[in-house]
Amino acid sequence: MTAETIYLDYAASTPVDAEVLDRMREVAESAYANPSSTHAAGRLTHALIAEAAEQVAGLLNVDPRTLVWTSGATESDNLAISGAARYRAHRGRHLVTMRTEHKAVTDVFDMLRGQGFDVTWVEPGTDGVLDPAVFEAALRDDTQFASIMYVNNETGVIQDIEALGAICRERNVLFHVDAAQAVGKLPIDLGRLPVDLMSLTGHKFYGPKGVGALYIVDRPDCHVEPILYGGGQQRRIRPGTLPTDLIAGLGKAAEVAAGRIEADLAHLRGLRDVLWNGVRDIDGILLNGSADGFPGILNVSVADIEGESLLLALEPVCVATGSACNSKSQEPSYVLRALGRTDLEAQSAIRFSTGRPTTPAEVEVAVTKYRDAVERLRAMAPGKAA
Ligand SMILES: *Cc1c(COP(=O)(O)O)cnc(C)c1O
């Protein structure tokens, strides 16, 4: 990144926190033995992993033994959904999820559909929020599993996980939550929330890339079939040599986050106000999502301008069109289409996402550049002006 880069893409990935980096370096240098080895060096590595489990468990208020290490939220989502659906196939073959989930969720359900499972895709309202009554109406006697995300990665919309989970508990449906955008950013108490499986990833909350975890509630009916086969690590649920340095980094990131969630949220709310107040009077501006979503994400459209052109005009401000995972394709975002946006509206969407290091000055530059870009691009295509 160059000096003038203004990074406003924290929903795609975050920088590694300085304390996390120190911890990873220390662990990588000193604890290189295989944690599965029973000699003294292996036991030391094993203890470091146990310590990281305590830190992540502390953030979520769970028993550390309920956590399985993975390579990130993509793997956690795959393991939870495909693993639980297959383990519980005898209970029924109906599964429920939402249209606006991340591809790491939707693609797994598409795969399961090809294996004889029946999937219902519930639709959120135009503000992106899923009505618990709509969710409940989609459940059937043979529904065995549901997956609903916590915070949407494109719009920041927050789902009512407590209400949705309570419905699942009542109906004996296993409930998975993709919380990649929520863990370390919103207070989450799994001692209280009715959630059976939860996916998280280090690089969305100032930890390293390539490491995540899956929480699996300690209950006999909640189990996952593995998606990887190999050694006996992690009770065979997820075999493979554990990356001690990455896991230690994830643990430290959880510990750091636990101590500052409210302060981070207050900071992000302030930035969001600057951003939204700076663009809300632009002719034809549309807020994608709900006004009370996660404050680190602001997604806006202006009907008559291409998002890709805006993205270029905004440089050196780094933002996203749609989501990072879909931005290589020219397809309008399926998430925004599900919120009732037209193709043109969805194509003009820009996601600003802020983080701990973001300053009000950076956000003000982004506002000025965005306003200028909209004006200039509209002047170039006067026939299409709103
Ligand atoms: C980033 C993200 C993922 C994927 O996480 P990785 O660790 O990059 O595999 C899954 N779901 C959501 C909601 C995300 O934001």
Side-chain angles (χ1 to χ4, degrees):
M1 256 185 254
T2 61
E4 65 266 29
T5 298
I6 293 180
Y7 184 80
L8 294 181
D9 203 13
Y10 290 84
S13 200
T14 57
V16 179
D17 174 272
E19 268 186 77
V20 170
L21 206 53
D22 284 349
R23 180 66 178 152
M24 286 171 67
R25 187 182 176 93
E26 186 184 306
V27 168
E29 282 174 351
S30 64
Y32 44 81
N34 192 313
S36 302
S37 302
T38 44
H39 50 60
R43 290 200 305 273
L44 168 75
T45 322
H46 187 81
L48 292 176
I49 289 170
E51 185 186 339
E54 293 278 356
Q55 290 166 316
V56 176
L59 178 65
L60 302 174
N61 188 25
V62 295
D63 187 312
R65 286 169 301 187
T66 58
L67 299 170
V68 172
W69 305 112
T70 66
S71 61
T74 299
E75 188 189 333
S76 296
D77 287 343
N78 271 259
L79 179 59
I81 301 164
S82 144
R86 284 181 290 126
Y87 178 72
R88 289 166 58 97
H90 61 283
R91 285 174 181 257
R93 301 187 76 84
H94 183 235
L95 317 170
V96 176
T97 189
M98 187 171 48
R99 275 277 169 232
T100 53
E101 294 289 313
H102 192 275
K103 283 276 181 197
V105 167
T106 59
D107 281 7
V108 187
F109 280 101
D110 278 336
M111 180 276 291
L112 288 171
R113 229 160 31 121
Q115 295 191 355
F117 287 92
D118 188 6
V119 180
T120 295
W121 303 84
V122 287
E123 307 270 355
T126 54
D127 60 357
V129 180
L130 175 62
D131 180 347
V134 168
F135 176 72
E136 185 159 27
L139 302 182
R140 314 190 310 216
D141 288 342
D142 63 338
T143 309
Q144 55 116 321
F145 182 88
S147 183
I148 301 291
M149 73 199 316
Y150 210 129
V151 172
N152 185 275
N153 50 297
E154 290 191 39
T155 59
V157 167
I158 301 173
Q159 301 302 339
D160 189 348
I161 296 304
E162 188 165 5
L164 301 169
I167 293 166
C168 287
R169 285 273 156 95
E170 200 173 300
R171 304 281 298 254
N172 197 19
V173 171
L174 216 59
F175 187 43
H176 168 250
V177 174
D178 175 351
Q181 296 285 347
V183 168
K185 299 169 172 182
L186 294 179
I188 296 176
D189 179 356
L190 286 176
R192 200 182 54 81
L193 269 189
V195 168
D196 302 315
L197 300 136
M198 182 174 275
S199 301
L200 63 97
T201 184
H203 75 104
K204 301 284 173 72
F205 65 105
Y206 310 93
K209 294 171 186 51
V211 66
L214 176 66
Y215 160 76
I216 306 175
V217 74
D218 185 16
R219 230 182 37 228
D221 68 318
C222 183
H223 185 69
V224 295
E225 296 284 344
I227 54 178
L228 296 177
Y229 297 85
Q233 296 96 339
Q234 305 203 77
R235 293 166 285 136
R236 296 192 184 277
I237 294 171
R238 204 284 196 170
T241 304
L242 292 174
T244 313
D245 43 2
L246 295 179
I247 290 171
L250 178 58
K252 180 55 88 174
E255 185 189 273
V256 171
R260 54 180 299 165
I261 286 184
E262 290 304 333
D264 281 353
L265 277 172
H267 174 62
L268 298 178
R269 278 190 207 104
L271 296 169
R272 187 188 187 278
D273 286 347
V274 175
L275 254 180
W276 178 233
N277 290 331
V279 302
R280 64 186 304 166
D281 66 325
I282 293 173
D283 194 25
I285 194 99
L286 296 166
L287 174 69
N288 295 317
S290 75
D292 56 359
F294 172 65
I297 296 178
L298 183 79
N299 189 317
V300 290
S301 289
V302 278
D304 46 352
I305 297 175
E306 276 280 315
E308 289 296 322
S309 317
L310 269 172
L311 200 74
L312 291 176
L314 280 168
E315 278 181 7
V317 177
C318 300
V319 295
T321 54
S323 78
C325 323
N326 304 315
S327 63
K328 293 277 185 302
S329 76
Q330 294 296 319
E331 289 287 297
S333 153
Y334 67 91
V335 172
L336 301 181
R337 292 289 288 114
L339 270 54
R341 294 293 181 231
T342 65
D343 279 357
L344 274 177
E345 287 166 353
Q347 261 159 356
S348 78
I350 293 286
R351 178 188 69 186
F352 297 92
S353 54
T354 53
R356 277 180 205 157
T358 308
T359 63
E362 286 182 312
V363 166
E364 276 158 22
V365 171
V367 165
T368 306
K369 293 213 75 124
Y370 184 78
R371 297 188 73 96
D372 289 353
V374 169
E375 200 172 311
R376 200 145 37 86
L377 292 166
R378 275 187 175 152
M380 283 163 62
K384 290 205 285 179

